[in-house]
Amino acid sequence: MAFIRKKRREQQLQLYSKERFSLLLLNLEEYYFEQHTANHIQHKGSQNERKIRGSLKICSKSVIFEPDATSQPIIKIPLRDCIKIGKHGENGANRHLAKAVSGGISLIFSQVYFIKEHNIVAPYKIERGTMEYVFELDVSGKVEGVVETLLQLHRASCLDKLGDQTAMITAILQSRLARTSFDKNRFQSVSEKLHMECKAEMVTPLVTNPGHVCITDTNLYFQPLNGYPKPMVQITLHDVRRIYKRRHGLMPLGLEVFCTEDDLCSDVYLKFYERQDRDDLYFYIATYLEHHVAERTAEGYTLQWQRGLLSNYQYLLHLNTLADRSCNDLSQYPVFPWVVGDYSSSELDLSNPGTFRDLSKPVGALNKERLERLLYLKLVSSRLRGSMSGETEVSERTLSPSARCLLPSFPCELSGSPSAFLLTIQETRYQEMPEPKFMYGSHYSSPGYVLFYLVRIAPEYMLCLQNGRFDNADRMFNSIAETWKNCLDGATDFKELIPEFYGDDVSFLVNSLKLDLGKRQGGQMVDDVELPPWARSPEDFLQKSRDALESDYVSEHLHEWIDLVFGYKQKGRDAVGAHNVFHPLTYEGGVDLNSIEDPDEKVAMLTQILEFGQTPKQLFVTPHPRRITPKFKSLAQPSSYNASTADTPVSPGEESFEDLTEESRTLAWSNITRLQLHEQHKIHKEAVTGIAVSRSGSSVFTTSQDSTLKMFSKESKMLQRSISFSNMALSSCLLLPGDATVVSSSWDNNVYFYSIAFGRRQDTLMGHDDAVSKICWHDNRLYSASWDSTVKVWSGVPAEMPGSRRHQFDLLAELEHDVSVDTISLSAASTLLVSGTKEGTVTIWDLTAATVLHQIPCHSGTVCDTAFSPDSRHVLSAGEDGCLNVVDVQTGMLISSMTSEEPQRCFLWDGNSVLSGSQSGELLVWDLLGGKIRERIQGHTGKLSAVDLTPPNLLFPPADEPFSSRKLPVCPLCRGRSPPDPGWPGHLQLLVSETVDSRMEVFDFHMEN
């Protein structure tokens, strides 16, 4: 998949250059400097003398000659193996031939490699012994300069210390870069404006290529110092879709640019010498993209994945990209999980949980016995004896044979349950380790493991990594089942998979290049990968692997694996408890290379980092939410915290927008932007604070800071009643089931009950010590939020008759906060409540136990509004800081955040789209999953402050504005059932108030069936 496409791109570049030479012929951390057209003179001075035409490549650690004739092998001479370098004929027996070979360079060496003879990829052939090769340059005047360069590089290669070698070669490279600059004649247009130029290296798998980076107002350029594989790489900024800062060798020096939305392969990966250069270039490109491309975050992708807009495969690709994984960097290649655990059955049963691997454990912990061997080997009975006296049921029988063999005199009875006992041993074993502490001696992803899987399509990469050799035939990727078994049982094998296992290109499973990969001990040649019995072909294997990845079981458990690799179990105590601790050098921040003064130690550390593998960048620090699957949605669960996240229907008396059919609801929201001004009405003198609509849609009730509750008739289009309970502002209102009573909250600390039929106040609840900010009602329970820092839950039925006033309300619970509470909302089943405070904190409460589930600091100012999604799995909050934040109810993780230029004071949402009212009076339609504004609807000059949604009415009241009504006709909403009453007009209405002129505006449009 990713690597395959990357390799094909490189092959296209090879066709451009018409060379067999590749940077993969260089050693790791070696540079290619220059090339010269030359002849290799064989058998000089004899009758068999011949000239082989080709190209001489000068590299930092070797000299490479590529013959034009593909039948001839490429010659590689390591500079460290050179005995003498000079002009041919100088200071030796060949002096008399100097004139005849005036452009000759003589290399005397002890070892040479022959590569790709007849253009066949195979292990390098090595010839040892003292030899002399003569190369004649076409331009004889360059001989002296080339010899001088070779002598300088030879001195570097022969230094005793590796750090000194690297330092000298780096100095030579920087000197060459300093003497050159970007060729501005290569600009695509003479009108381009230069913004920045700096030095960098282009990163490709296993190798880097130094050169110059240049960015203009329209293009990004990279010009290789050596002109390989082509003179210039050019990317039009208008084509850029994504850009990421990268770690390279655990250093914050990388930058990767993508011109595609979802491809894992980038168009260019650059490594800079200075972090500031990287950051400056990122700023220039990001500034250009700001108005062209939406920023992508892990949280935004999480919400799309949860809601089913992204497959498991797509989501993992996005997480890998965000976590610095790149197909250009084999030490940080994208990592995917083993999901199937059955490679022996004739049929793959994806309905059987036993078919799958346990995704809650890292590969190293899947086999209990191996884990015990790794963790308990140093824990002898002296540690165990005495520390655990016999009390309960742990005995030798609870341990595996491998653990029992370590405890020859283990007592028959020990304290604690088996799991608690094992955890104690594990923690003790880990704490006893000397620094640095780690559990596994190898990683789950490394260049060696990546190429283990891909050797059949990337043999040259394997040869580069292993100094010109393939691995032992019995250690090759021979069989899926054998590889899985070794990952379960091997003492040092903990590798996961790569994206190719879930792609559609089978070439990495088939030896289509007919490579000679060796012969196994049983005598069979290494050829195609042996597939499990349930796979009829490589194509069938990949298809079933994809089916397994997208199966219900994996969808239900993938978040557990994400916690291990990208999430909160990646580091710290949670990682220890999950047996997920690798060598510190693999983690971001595990070592500061700049602080290491010893050059040898620094080079050795960098080499270890690049070859051992690196842990992905940590994306999540709280438990990752699980995916919402149809299985979960259909579960009928009891009323509890877990049950509250199910799709529980509301009672018939409280029918809401969510009761509408899925088809109608989708139709309504898909047409939410089609609003037209229809009529206007004047309602209040000051800001409207709350709104409620009768179930029939005929009456609209509003509260205002002018201290009045008003009733407006939509049929007669007249104000019918105006009620005042006190001289203090009213903050919110709601209609009780049956539409007989209106409940209003007030800044005078009270809650008022008003009888519509009798036209008078029938109850007053004096329940708070400060203003009541918001009220909710469900199943004869009143929920009131107040500036006195509490939310109170009351039980009681208000009097039906005005004569039976002063009904007793019982206080069931008091939910205490640190500061004033400005808004609350209930889940569909009313088992959860979310509150928002003055200081920006969103708190999710379990009402069945009156306890806090999650407390999330979501906003930098007051929380204006909160609401659960229709399925109660997410909470959306809007704040004065202009942010719309989505929180996962199960984990409390902030999974999406969108920012507007002004506060959004109220909203409605269906879980995917949001309709919000802003400070300026605009109505905004947001695509929550796409992270963008779909539509802006003008209509008011003051801020909108409240939202209510009740079929058939969609209502918005602005805070300091008049009160306007927007009609959203939804003729097919009740398809297949009767409307709430015979007079229902069959449309939704959106009511918004505006204080400037105290108007109520009605917007109307007709939607398509």
Side-chain angles (χ1 to χ4, degrees):
M1 201 253 353
F3 192 92
I4 296 169
R5 289 200 296 271
K6 184 71 182 176
K7 188 169 185 295
R8 286 172 181 166
R9 289 185 189 178
E10 292 174 355
Q11 288 171 343
Q12 290 174 354
L13 293 179
Q14 288 289 99
L15 291 175
Y16 176 92
S17 61
K18 298 180 180 180
E19 293 181 343
R20 287 184 294 157
F21 171 78
S22 162
L23 294 178
L24 294 170
L25 301 183
L26 279 59
N27 295 340
L28 296 178
E29 299 300 305
E30 183 177 7
Y31 298 108
Y32 166 37
F33 286 146
E34 61 190 50
Q35 71 167 350
H36 302 276
T37 305
N39 291 314
H40 175 207
I41 312 298
Q42 292 185 338
H43 310 295
K44 186 64 183 175
S46 70
Q47 292 183 349
N48 297 324
E49 178 180 327
R50 58 181 297 201
K51 292 183 179 181
I52 300 177
R53 187 74 170 163
S55 175
L56 188 68
K57 322 281 186 180
I58 309 301
C59 307
S60 59
K61 297 180 181 180
S62 62
V63 176
I64 296 176
F65 180 76
E66 178 192 15
D68 291 343
T70 58
S71 59
Q72 295 293 322
I74 295 174
I75 299 169
K76 179 179 178 180
I77 304 171
L79 288 172
R80 69 173 183 274
D81 294 326
C82 287
I83 301 170
K84 188 174 182 180
I85 300 173
K87 292 183 180 180
H88 183 69
E90 283 187 338
N91 303 320
N94 292 323
R95 182 190 294 258
H96 61 282
L97 296 174
K99 188 173 183 179
V101 193
S102 59
I105 298 174
S106 171
L107 300 177
I108 301 176
F109 50 87
S110 60
Q111 182 171 266
V112 62
Y113 294 91
F114 299 104
I115 306 169
K116 295 179 76 171
E117 187 173 5
H118 296 288
N119 207 22
I120 296 173
V121 177
Y124 302 170
K125 297 178 180 178
I126 305 175
E127 186 175 328
R128 295 183 175 88
T130 303
M131 294 163 275
E132 180 182 14
Y133 278 10
V134 177
F135 300 97
E136 181 184 35
L137 303 187
D138 277 9
V139 182
S140 59
K142 293 184 177 181
V143 170
E144 188 170 346
V146 172
V147 170
E148 183 179 344
T149 298
L150 289 175
L151 289 172
Q152 189 180 29
L153 293 171
H154 179 251
R155 286 195 298 272
S157 298
C158 293
L159 292 174
D160 292 335
K161 293 185 177 181
L162 186 59
D164 292 339
Q165 293 180 24
T166 302
M168 186 171 178
I169 290 173
T170 300
I172 296 171
L173 170 63
Q174 293 300 321
S175 175
R176 284 174 167 262
L177 288 170
R179 294 196 305 268
T180 59
S181 62
F182 183 84
D183 182 4
K184 297 176 180 59
N185 291 323
R186 294 192 176 274
F187 280 175
Q188 296 295 296
S189 170
V190 293
S191 62
E192 285 188 65
K193 181 180 178 181
L194 176 66
H195 281 308
M196 175 185 174
E197 180 182 348
C198 63
K199 298 175 289 186
E201 297 177 10
M202 188 167 71
V203 179
T204 53
L206 297 182
V207 293
T208 60
N209 201 13
H212 295 275
V213 172
C214 181
I215 186 168
T216 70
D217 53 349
T218 56
N219 291 288
L220 171 67
Y221 300 95
F222 176 76
Q223 186 174 19
L225 181 66
N226 49 36
Y228 178 87
K230 61 180 182 177
M232 184 186 66
V233 175
Q234 178 257 329
I235 294 176
T236 303
L237 293 182
H238 184 74
D239 294 336
V240 175
R241 290 294 172 267
R242 295 175 289 149
I243 178 172
Y244 300 98
K245 293 181 179 180
R246 294 293 192 216
R247 295 174 301 158
H248 188 271
L250 294 184
M251 298 282 285
L253 299 173
L255 186 71
E256 194 162 21
V257 180
F258 294 78
C259 291
T260 56
E261 290 289 352
D262 301 316
D263 200 337
L264 200 59
C265 290
S266 64
D267 289 80
V268 67
Y269 187 144
L270 299 172
K271 169 195 167 187
F272 295 79
Y273 299 109
E274 299 293 337
R275 180 174 181 173
Q276 189 61 50
D277 287 340
R278 190 278 303 269
D279 293 345
D280 289 345
L281 190 68
Y282 178 89
F283 172 79
Y284 282 122
I285 300 178
T287 301
Y288 180 88
L289 297 181
E290 186 175 0
H291 303 294
H292 298 80
V293 181
E295 183 179 0
R296 302 301 180 90
T297 63
E299 292 79 9
Y301 287 128
T302 300
L303 185 61
Q304 293 184 38
W305 171 71
Q306 274 198 293
R307 292 284 172 183
L309 270 72
L310 291 177
S311 66
N312 293 337
Y313 175 80
Q314 291 171 320
Y315 185 49
L316 289 176
L317 284 183
H318 288 308
L319 292 186
N320 272 283
T321 299
L322 292 169
D324 285 344
R325 314 301 285 187
S326 168
C327 60
N328 284 299
D329 184 355
L330 296 189
S331 66
Q332 298 188 91
Y333 199 77
V335 57
F336 270 59
W338 289 93
V339 296
V340 174
D342 178 7
Y343 295 98
S344 58
S345 299
S346 58
E347 296 293 334
L348 187 65
D349 184 3
L350 298 182
S351 64
N352 178 13
T355 297
F356 299 92
R357 163 256 182 106
D358 185 349
L359 289 166
S360 68
K361 299 176 181 179
V363 170
L366 291 175
N367 184 331
K368 178 182 175 182
E369 293 192 6
R370 178 178 64 176
L371 181 63
E372 290 170 355
R373 289 196 300 269
L374 291 170
L375 295 179
Y376 312 155
L377 195 56
K378 294 183 179 179
L379 260 185
V380 292
S381 57
S382 61
R383 217 3 139 168
L384 299 172
R385 231 190 311 266
S387 64
M388 300 179 182
S389 57
E391 290 181 4
T392 55
E393 66 265 2
V394 176
S395 70
E396 288 189 55
R397 289 178 299 129
T398 65
L399 298 178
S400 68
S402 64
R404 289 201 301 271
C405 73
L406 301 176
L407 312 173
S409 55
F410 198 73
C412 295
E413 293 184 349
L414 296 171
S415 62
S417 66
S419 59
F421 169 70
L422 292 178
L423 182 59
T424 301
I425 296 180
Q426 294 160 7
E427 291 180 348
T428 304
R429 165 71 180 92
Y430 181 77
Q431 294 302 326
E432 282 192 346
M433 287 182 181
E435 295 292 343
K437 291 181 171 65
F438 58 92
M439 295 179 178
Y440 307 112
S442 64
H443 205 253
Y444 52 77
S445 176
S446 69
Y449 287 159
V450 174
L451 296 177
F452 168 85
Y453 291 127
L454 300 178
V455 64
R456 289 168 177 79
I457 59 167
E460 292 175 88
Y461 291 84
M462 176 68 81
L463 294 174
C464 175
L465 185 67
Q466 300 202 150
N467 298 316
R469 300 185 301 273
F470 290 131
D471 202 353
N472 181 279
D474 287 296
R475 292 196 297 266
M476 297 286 277
F477 182 32
N478 294 302
S479 161
I480 304 289
E482 284 182 10
T483 301
W484 170 245
K485 184 177 185 302
N486 201 55
C487 288
L488 290 180
D489 301 334
T492 60
D493 194 349
F494 316 108
K495 59 179 172 285
E496 293 279 9
L497 296 181
I498 55 176
E500 281 75 4
F501 277 83
Y502 304 102
D504 53 12
D505 194 323
V506 301
S507 56
F508 76 102
L509 298 170
V510 181
N511 187 16
S512 57
L513 299 178
K514 303 303 178 184
L515 300 169
D516 183 358
L517 298 174
K519 182 181 294 186
R520 304 186 66 182
Q521 288 184 353
Q524 66 271 38
M525 297 296 296
V526 175
D527 197 26
D528 296 346
V529 176
E530 182 183 342
L531 303 175
W534 46 258
R536 297 185 300 273
S537 65
E539 291 80 6
D540 186 51
F541 171 76
L542 292 187
Q543 180 60 57
K544 288 179 177 175
S545 295
R546 289 195 297 273
D547 293 343
L549 181 63
E550 304 301 334
S551 66
D552 286 344
Y553 179 89
V554 174
S555 293
E556 293 166 19
H557 295 277
L558 186 59
H559 65 283
E560 298 172 330
W561 185 84
I562 293 172
D563 284 335
L564 295 170
V565 177
F566 302 105
Y568 81 107
K569 291 184 179 180
Q570 185 195 91
K571 299 178 182 178
R573 186 171 182 177
D574 291 309
V576 176
H579 311 117
N580 194 41
V581 183
F582 297 87
H583 196 283
L585 283 181
T586 68
Y587 294 92
E588 183 177 24
V591 62
D592 182 6
L593 289 175
N594 290 326
S595 66
I596 301 175
E597 297 181 357
D598 186 335
D600 286 340
E601 181 183 353
K602 187 172 184 177
V603 171
M605 195 77 72
L606 179 60
T607 301
Q608 185 174 354
I609 289 170
L610 294 176
E611 294 186 5
F612 190 84
Q614 297 175 44
T615 300
K617 177 180 178 181
Q618 189 174 26
L619 299 178
F620 310 104
V621 295
T622 57
H624 192 282
R626 68 194 310 171
R627 193 174 194 188
I628 301 171
T629 65
K631 178 180 178 180
F632 293 151
K633 290 184 179 180
S634 64
L635 287 178
Q637 300 181 7
S639 179
S640 66
Y641 163 57
N642 291 330
S644 65
T645 61
D647 192 11
T648 308
V650 285
S651 61
E654 291 186 287
E655 188 175 36
S656 71
F657 188 51
E658 281 73 73
D659 293 319
L660 304 174
T661 64
E662 186 69 28
E663 180 184 2
S664 298
R665 197 167 75 193
T666 300
L667 182 61
W669 277 97
S670 66
N671 287 271
I672 201 72
T673 59
R674 302 175 61 189
L675 297 170
Q676 298 176 357
L677 182 62
H678 183 64
E679 58 188 56
Q680 301 178 354
H681 303 282
K682 186 173 181 178
I683 299 290
H684 284 281
K685 295 179 180 179
E686 294 185 29
V688 174
T689 57
I691 191 165
V693 184
S694 63
R695 190 163 176 265
S696 66
S698 60
S699 299
V700 180
F701 298 86
T702 60
T703 53
S704 170
Q705 289 184 10
D706 63 11
S707 76
T708 62
L709 166 68
K710 298 194 176 185
M711 176 178 175
F712 179 82
S713 172
K714 285 188 71 279
E715 295 174 349
S716 64
K717 304 188 188 314
M718 294 180 62
L719 184 65
Q720 292 185 324
R721 298 183 192 179
S722 180
I723 308 102
S724 180
F725 301 113
S726 72
N727 60 357
M728 299 288 284
L730 299 180
S731 56
S732 66
C733 64
L734 58 84
L735 273 167
L736 296 188
D739 288 355
T741 302
V742 182
V743 187
S744 302
S745 58
S746 174
W747 286 7
D748 66 2
N749 311 350
N750 297 327
V751 177
Y752 297 98
F753 293 79
Y754 176 80
S755 171
I756 300 173
F758 292 92
R760 59 180 292 181
R761 182 175 63 185
Q762 65 184 36
D763 256 326
T764 301
L765 174 63
M766 295 178 284
H768 288 276
D769 299 325
D770 206 338
V772 181
S773 55
K774 185 74 177 290
I775 53 175
C776 297
W777 179 276
H778 183 268
D779 196 19
N780 290 331
R781 291 188 179 183
L782 175 71
Y783 304 83
S784 58
S786 171
W787 294 353
D788 65 6
S789 305
T790 66
V791 174
K792 294 184 179 181
V793 184
W794 309 86
S795 175
V797 180
E800 293 294 332
M801 300 292 292
S804 57
R805 296 178 58 193
R806 305 300 179 194
H807 181 85
Q808 181 66 40
F809 280 87
D810 297 324
L811 180 62
L812 300 180
E814 184 171 333
L815 312 179
E816 295 185 354
H817 297 69
D818 295 330
V819 293
S820 62
V821 183
D822 285 76
T823 183
I824 57 173
S825 181
L826 290 171
S827 65
S830 294
T831 55
L832 297 179
L833 179 143
V834 58
S835 59
T837 69
K838 181 180 180 180
E839 293 185 350
T841 300
V842 171
T843 306
I844 301 175
W845 298 82
D846 179 1
L847 294 177
T848 62
T851 57
V852 174
L853 292 177
H854 306 290
Q855 195 168 58
I856 310 103
C858 278
H859 299 276
S860 58
T862 301
V863 180
C864 299
D865 200 4
T866 60
F868 286 89
S869 60
D871 59 10
S872 300
R873 292 187 178 274
H874 297 119
V875 164
L876 179 64
S877 64
E880 284 190 342
D881 55 4
C883 292
L884 289 175
N885 293 329
V886 180
V887 174
D888 180 75
V889 171
Q890 181 189 27
T891 63
M893 188 177 88
L894 181 66
I895 60 173
S896 181
S897 182
M898 298 181 296
T899 304
S900 61
E901 62 275 9
E902 59 179 341
Q904 302 301 305
R905 306 193 61 85
C906 54
F907 64 81
L908 297 171
W909 72 313
D910 68 343
N912 298 326
S913 298
V914 179
L915 181 61
S916 67
S918 67
Q919 183 86 7
S920 65
E922 277 189 318
L923 287 171
L924 304 182
V925 180
W926 299 78
D927 176 5
L928 191 60
L929 301 180
K932 60 184 179 181
I933 297 174
R934 288 175 50 202
E935 190 72 28
R936 293 178 179 269
I937 304 168
Q938 302 294 331
H940 304 279
T941 57
K943 61 185 178 183
L944 309 182
S945 66
V947 184
D948 192 16
L949 183 60
T950 308
N953 304 297
L954 180 62
L955 308 167
F956 282 64
D960 6 300
E961 323 180 16
F963 175 43
S964 56
S965 162
R966 295 177 185 250
K967 257 190 214 176
L968 186 61
V970 186
C971 301
L973 273 180
C974 291
R975 182 179 299 163
R977 66 174 197 166
S978 300
D981 64 36
W984 184 55
H987 54 245
L988 299 180
Q989 297 169 329
L990 173 65
L991 307 186
V992 189
S993 69
E994 186 175 352
T995 51
V996 176
D997 53 10
S998 301
R999 293 191 310 264
M1000 177 174 73
E1001 298 179 345
V1002 181
F1003 289 76
D1004 195 3
F1005 75 89
H1006 291 280
M1007 293 164 46
E1008 298 176 358
N1009 288 317

